[in-house]
C-alpha cells in the first residue's frame, strides 16, 4: 500500500503549485499526452482493477467493465474534443460596442482536490480527474478508504505513471480528508453523501474555494400504465440491483399506478429470476454490501412494510437478496433516508398528481425515472418536478451519455460534469474585451454637460 504521509500534504500541494506555475499544464498537447497516458495506465492495470473491485464489493467483472473501466470512453471523448474546447470562444457584442471584439478564454484553475466515494470507487475518481487534466490543472486525489483495495490500485497507478508534482493520491479516511480540507485548493470536487457534502462546503468556504458536490438522495421511479411491462421490469431490476443497489442514481423507491402494481411486482420477480436465478446468493453476477455498518443499516429497513420479494440475508457474506417491500408508509425509516442498497419499496398512487406532490414534498432528487409512453404525462412530470436529471423509460443509462451534464440540484448537489461539462467545471471562463485605437468617441467622458439626451437615447 502506498500511503502518503499526511504530514507531507502541504509539500505535495506546494510542489503542485510550483509545477502549475511553470505553465506546462496549459499546453494542450501536454494535456492530451497525459490523457493518453492515463488511458494506457488503466489498460495496463485492468486486471488489478477487476480484482480490487471484486475484493471490495464482490463486483462482477462485467459490471466492472460496464461501470468502472468504461471510463476509458470518457478519456477518448476528451481527447477528441479538447482542441475545440480550449479554443477561445468569440462572444457577440451589441452595435454600440462596434469597435470592440469579445472573447471567452477557458483557463485552468490551478491545483484541485478530488474526493471520491466507495460505490463506484474507480470511475468516480477517474471521471472527474479526466476533466481536471483536460482543463489543464494539477490534482490531488483522495479515494474512499472504505473501498480500500481500489484505493490502493488508484494510488499505485497514479504513482507509477505520473509525477506527484502533477497528480498525486492521498489515501486515508476522515483524518486524511480533514488534513486536505485544511489546505487551500482552487477547486474541490466531491462525490459522496449530503451530510459530508455540507462539511466539505463549510471547509471550502474558509478559502472561498469553489465546489462541485455530487451527492445522493432518494430518486423516485414512477411507473404508469402505458408501458411495455416486460422492458420496464428488466430496466428497473437492472438499474436497482446492479452493484447490489449501491448506486447514487439507482431508483430508490417505486411510485406505481395502483392498477398495474400487481403485474409490476410479478414482472419484477420474473426478471430477477432471469438475472440471478432462484437464489441470488449463488449468482456470480450479484454484488455484496460494502461493509458491516452498511449491511446492518440496510437489514434494519427490512422491518418496514411487507417484504414481497427477497428479504433473505447473510451477515457473514454481507449478502442481501434483491428485495421488494410493499405497503410501506412514508414515515417508515426506509422512506426517510437514501436506501443505497438492494431494497426497493413500492408506493402506489391513483392519480399522478399524488406522485408529483410526494416528490415535490421532499428534497430534490439526483435522478427521476418515469416509465410511460403518454406524452402528456411525460410533459407534466418534466414540468412539475425538479431533479438533477430525468430518464424516461429506462434507468441509470443517462450517466453514460457524454453530451449530458451529470449532477444534482438542491440537496442532491451543486454543479455538474461529464464530457464538456467536466472541462467547464475545472476551467475558469475568462472574459476578454478588446478595443481598437482607430476611433475614440467621447460620449462617456466628462465633462458630461449636454450628453444626457444621447446617453438616454443609447439606453433606449
Ligand atoms: P461519504 O460522504 O461517506 O464519503 C465520501 C468521501 O468523503 C470519502 O472519501 C470519505 O473518506 C470522505 N469523508 C467521510 N467523512 C468525512 C468527513 N467527516 N470529513 C471529510 N471527509 C469525509 O459517501 P460514501 O458513503 O462514500 O458514498 C455514498 C454516498 O455518495 C451516497 O449518498 C451516494 O448517493 C453518494 N454518491 C453520489 C454520487 C453522484 O455522482 N452524485 C455518486 C456516488 C455516490
Amino acid at each position: 500500500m502506498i500511503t502518503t504521509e499526511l504530514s507531507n500534504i502541504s509539500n505535495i500541494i506546494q510542489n503542485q503549485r510550483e509545477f502549475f506555475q511553470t505553465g506546462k499544464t496549459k499546453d494542450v498537447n501536454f494535456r492530451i499526452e497525459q490523457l493518453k497516458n492515463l488511458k494506457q495506465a488503466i489498460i495496463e492495470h485492468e486486471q488489478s482493477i477487476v480484482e480490487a473491485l471484486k475484493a471490495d464489493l464482490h463486483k462482477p467483472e462485467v459490471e466492472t467493465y460496464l461501470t468502472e473501466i468504461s471510463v476509458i470512453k470518457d478519456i477518448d471523448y476528451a481527447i477528441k474534443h479538447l482542441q475545440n474546447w480550449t479554443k477561445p470562444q468569440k462572444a457577440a457584442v451589441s452595435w454600440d460596442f462596434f469597435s470592440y471584439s469579445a472573447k471567452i478564454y477557458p483557463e485552468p484553475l490551478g491545483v484541485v482536490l478530488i474526493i471520491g466515494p466507495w460505490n463506484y470507487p474507480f470511475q468516480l475518481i477517474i471521471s472527474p480527474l479526466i476533466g481536471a487534466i483536460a482543463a489543464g490543472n494539477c490534482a490531488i486525489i483522495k479515494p474512499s478508504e472504505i473501498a480500500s483495495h481500489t484505493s490502493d490500485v488508484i494510488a499505485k497507478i497514479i504513482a507509477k505513471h505520473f509525477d506527484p508534482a502533477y497528480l498525486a493520491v492521498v489515501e486515508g479516511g476522515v483524518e486524511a480528508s480533514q488534513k486536505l480540507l485544511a489546505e487551500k485548493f482552487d477547486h474541490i470536487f466531491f462525490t459522496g453523501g449530503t451530510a459530508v457534502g455540507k462539511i466539505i462546503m463549510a471547509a471550502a468556504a474558509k478559502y472561498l474555494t469553489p465546489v462541485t458536490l455530487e451527492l445522493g438522495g432518494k430518486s423516485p421511479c414512477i411507473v404508469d400504465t402505458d408501458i411495455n411491462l416486460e422492458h420496464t421490469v428488466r430496466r428497473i431490476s437492472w438499474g436497482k440491483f446492479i452493484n447490489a443497489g449501491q448506486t447514487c442514481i439507482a431508483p430508490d423507491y417505486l411510485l406505481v399506478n395502483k392498477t398495474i402494481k400487481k403485474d409490476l411486482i410479478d414482472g419484477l420477480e420474473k426478471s430477477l429470476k432471469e438475472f440471478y436465478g432462484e437464489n441470488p446468493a449463488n449468482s456470480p453476477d450479484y454484488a455484496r454490501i460494502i461493509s458491516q455498518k452498511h449491511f446492518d443499516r440496510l437489514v434494519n429497513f427490512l422491518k418496514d412494510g411487507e417484504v414481497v420479494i427477497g428479504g433473505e440475508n447473510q451477515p457473514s457474506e454481507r449478502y442481501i437478496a434483491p428485495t421488494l417491500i410493499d405497503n410501506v408508509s412514508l414515515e417508515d425509516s426506509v422512506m426517510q433516508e437514501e436506501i443505497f442498497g438492494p431494497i426497493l419499496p413500492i408506493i402506489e398512487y391513483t392519480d399522478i398528481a399524488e406522485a408529483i406532490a410526494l416528490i415535490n414534498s421532499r428534497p430534490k432528487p439526483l435522478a427521476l425515472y418515469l416509465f410511460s409512453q403518454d406524452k402528456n404525462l411525460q410533459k407534466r412530470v418534466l414540468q412539475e418536478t425538479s431533479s438533477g436529471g430525468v430518464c424516461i423509460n429506462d434507468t441509470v443509462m443517462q450517466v453514460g451519455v457524454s453530451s449530458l451534464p451529470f449532477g444534482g440540484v438542491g440537496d442532491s448537489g451543486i454543479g455538474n460534469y461529464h464530457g464538456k461539462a467536466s472541462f467547464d467545471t475545472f476551467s475558469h471562463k475568462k472574459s476578454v474585451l478588446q478595443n481598437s485605437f482607430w476611433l475614440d468617441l467621447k460620449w462617456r467622458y466628462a465633462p458630461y454637460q449636454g450628453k444626457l439626451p444621447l446617453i438616454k437615447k443609447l439606453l433606449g
Side-chain angles (χ1 to χ4, degrees):
M1 168 162 149
I2 301 169
T3 313
T4 312
E5 287 293 324
L6 294 187
S7 56
N8 203 18
I9 283 174
S10 305
N11 283 342
I12 302 172
I13 297 172
Q14 187 51 35
N15 291 342
Q16 292 208 349
R17 290 218 173 280
E18 282 165 20
F19 185 71
F20 183 74
Q21 286 307 328
T22 65
K24 244 183 144 175
T25 66
K26 291 191 175 164
D27 177 354
V28 178
N29 290 327
F30 172 84
R31 303 184 202 179
I32 291 176
E33 211 177 286
Q34 300 309 316
L35 287 168
K36 287 183 176 164
N37 197 3
L38 181 63
K39 178 178 174 179
Q40 201 44 46
I42 296 173
I43 292 170
E44 199 177 296
H45 294 271
E46 253 174 38
Q47 199 45 39
S48 322
I49 298 165
V50 168
E51 281 162 18
L53 284 150
K54 182 82 152 177
D56 286 329
L57 283 148
H58 191 75
K59 202 172 271 210
E61 190 168 348
V62 169
E63 286 187 17
T64 294
Y65 273 89
L66 266 181
T67 64
E68 307 268 8
I69 294 173
S70 58
V71 77
I72 284 177
K73 259 183 53 194
D74 301 348
I75 302 179
D76 291 336
Y77 189 87
I79 291 172
K80 184 168 166 211
H81 294 281
L82 196 58
Q83 292 285 1
N84 202 19
W85 293 344
T86 49
K87 270 192 208 135
Q89 302 293 314
K90 232 172 135 41
V93 292
S94 55
W95 67 267
D96 42 332
F97 277 75
F98 64 93
S99 66
Y100 295 79
S101 69
K103 281 188 181 163
I104 303 162
Y105 286 73
E107 64 175 24
L109 298 169
V111 177
V112 303
L113 171 64
I114 298 170
I115 301 180
W118 52 260
N119 61 332
Y120 291 88
F122 188 75
Q123 192 245 118
L124 292 174
I125 282 288
I126 303 298
S127 182
L129 180 63
I130 294 165
I133 295 174
N137 299 280
C138 295
I140 293 184
I141 299 157
K142 208 229 41 96
S144 170
E145 74 285 10
I146 296 174
S148 61
H149 297 87
T150 310
S151 174
D152 282 358
V153 169
I154 293 172
K156 278 185 191 129
I157 292 178
I158 299 296
K160 182 169 170 203
H161 295 268
F162 297 93
D163 179 352
Y166 173 49
L167 303 181
V169 175
V170 171
E171 287 194 271
V174 177
E175 192 199 347
S177 263
Q178 284 170 345
K179 281 240 153 75
L180 285 163
L181 291 171
E183 303 280 342
K184 181 172 163 54
F185 288 92
D186 298 298
H187 192 93
I188 300 177
F189 189 105
F190 170 80
T191 308
T194 304
V196 181
K198 289 178 186 171
I199 296 173
I200 304 290
M201 196 161 170
K206 199 169 54 196
Y207 297 114
L208 283 181
T209 302
V211 291
T212 303
L213 301 178
E214 294 285 338
L215 310 177
K218 288 183 86 61
S219 298
C221 178
I222 304 172
V223 186
D224 174 43
T225 49
D226 187 359
I227 53 168
N228 175 319
L229 184 69
E230 200 186 327
H231 295 181
T232 298
V233 293
R234 254 193 241 126
R235 293 171 191 177
I236 293 175
S237 293
W238 177 75
K240 177 68 190 183
F241 299 108
I242 188 171
N243 204 28
Q246 300 162 110
T247 304
C248 58
I249 47 168
D252 187 273
Y253 60 100
L254 295 178
L255 279 166
V256 184
N257 186 309
K258 195 177 178 174
T259 55
I260 204 170
K261 188 171 93 171
K262 166 109 186 34
D263 292 345
L264 188 79
I265 294 175
D266 293 346
L268 287 168
E269 187 162 24
K270 198 167 147 232
S271 70
L272 287 171
K273 284 208 174 115
E274 205 178 289
F275 287 4
Y276 306 118
E278 286 298 328
N279 184 3
N282 298 331
S283 166
D285 299 331
Y286 188 64
R288 295 294 183 266
I289 307 306
I290 185 78
S291 68
Q292 200 57 43
K293 186 177 136 207
H294 282 281
F295 176 86
D296 295 341
R297 184 182 66 83
L298 288 165
V299 167
N300 242 330
F301 290 146
L302 298 174
K303 294 181 195 141
D304 295 337
E306 180 196 340
V307 171
V308 287
I309 300 173
E312 303 84 10
N313 56 85
Q314 292 165 12
S316 61
E317 271 212 46
R318 299 195 308 276
Y319 163 79
I320 299 178
T323 299
L324 238 75
I325 308 184
D326 197 5
N327 299 321
V328 291
S329 102
L330 295 179
E331 284 69 45
D332 285 338
S333 58
V334 76
M335 285 307 295
Q336 292 298 317
E337 58 179 276
E338 181 182 10
I339 298 169
F340 216 56
I343 297 170
L344 186 58
I346 308 172
I347 290 169
E348 58 181 43
Y349 67 84
T350 40
D351 187 308
I352 190 67
E354 295 162 33
I356 291 173
L358 169 58
I359 293 166
N360 290 340
S361 70
R362 298 182 156 229
K364 292 179 182 178
L366 184 57
L368 183 147
Y369 299 106
L370 169 64
F371 283 85
S372 178
Q373 300 182 97
D374 178 342
K375 294 271 177 250
N376 286 328
L377 185 74
Q378 292 177 359
K379 200 168 152 197
R380 189 166 168 200
V381 170
L382 284 179
Q383 269 180 357
E384 295 182 19
T385 64
S386 177
S387 56
V390 173
C391 184
I392 299 174
N393 296 331
D394 212 327
T395 66
V396 176
M397 294 302 282
Q398 72 272 27
V399 77
V401 180
S402 301
S403 56
L404 285 177
F406 179 83
V409 58
D411 285 21
S412 56
I414 295 174
N416 48 52
Y417 73 132
H418 287 187
K420 169 80 161 46
S422 291
F423 176 82
D424 290 341
T425 283
F426 287 103
S427 298
H428 164 60
K429 285 188 176 165
K430 185 159 73 181
S431 293
V432 177
L433 183 69
Q434 186 169 161
N435 201 351
S436 56
F437 286 123
W438 61 273
L439 180 78
D440 195 34
L441 295 174
K442 301 206 172 111
W443 58 268
R444 64 186 157 132
Y445 303 137
Y448 297 133
Q449 200 186 6
K451 291 182 176 169
L452 196 55
L454 175 66
I455 286 172
K456 281 187 175 169
K457 221 173 180 175
L458 284 175
L459 291 175

